[in-house]
Amino acid sequence: EALQLLHTTETAEAVFERHDRNHRALVAGVGALGLDMFVKEGFRTPMLNSIRVPDTIDEAKLRLRLREKNRIEIGAGLGKLKGKIILIGLMGHSSLAANVVLVLSALGEALRAQGYKCSPGAAVEAAQQIFNS
């Protein structure tokens, strides 16, 4: 089904560009929230984004809030990275600008709920700049 969609609705090049653009928008928004990507630029994949969680944030509570309040499921770090990173997937048909905006806004609100100083609006604006360029 995925291959059929690829050939009937988008070209492979358009899919790659969409994934890359959404990744760049997410990275811009994450930076505007004051967060850092875990993987250095040049080694990242646009489909799976690992983000460092500040030491003051309970990562499990962050993910729980996103799931319960916003119906957004994100991944957690495993092993030595447990509690230190979150994983945001931008894969396939769900790699959409609207989903990037939604997750950035919800992530900012979830961080603020734990006392982290950030602006969800600034994150969304940073992402929109990528979408508009």
Side-chain angles (χ1 to χ4, degrees), residues 56-109:
T56 58
I57 299 297
D58 182 321
E59 170 270 331
K61 285 183 182 176
L62 181 77
R63 290 184 304 105
L64 180 64
R65 178 185 168 104
L66 289 170
R67 187 174 68 240
E68 289 183 347
K69 187 169 184 357
N70 306 100
R71 298 178 57 184
I72 295 173
E73 188 80 38
I74 63 172
L78 301 172
K80 293 179 182 179
L81 296 177
K82 183 177 182 179
K84 298 181 186 299
I85 66 170
I86 55 174
L87 302 167
I88 298 178
L90 293 172
M91 298 176 215
H93 190 64
S94 67
S95 181
L96 301 171
N99 289 346
V100 173
V101 168
L102 176 65
V103 76
L104 286 170
S105 179
L107 178 59
E109 291 300 328

Side-chain angles (χ1 to χ4, degrees), residues 22-58:
N22 291 333
H23 164 73
R24 288 184 287 114
L26 180 71
V27 170
V30 164
L33 288 172
L35 303 177
D36 297 314
M37 300 300 289
F38 179 70
V39 177
K40 293 179 184 175
E41 189 172 357
F43 295 95
R44 299 175 187 154
T45 176
M47 286 72 69
L48 187 59
N49 299 274
S50 52
I51 301 162
R52 292 183 189 274
V53 176
D55 293 336
T56 58
I57 299 297
D58 182 321

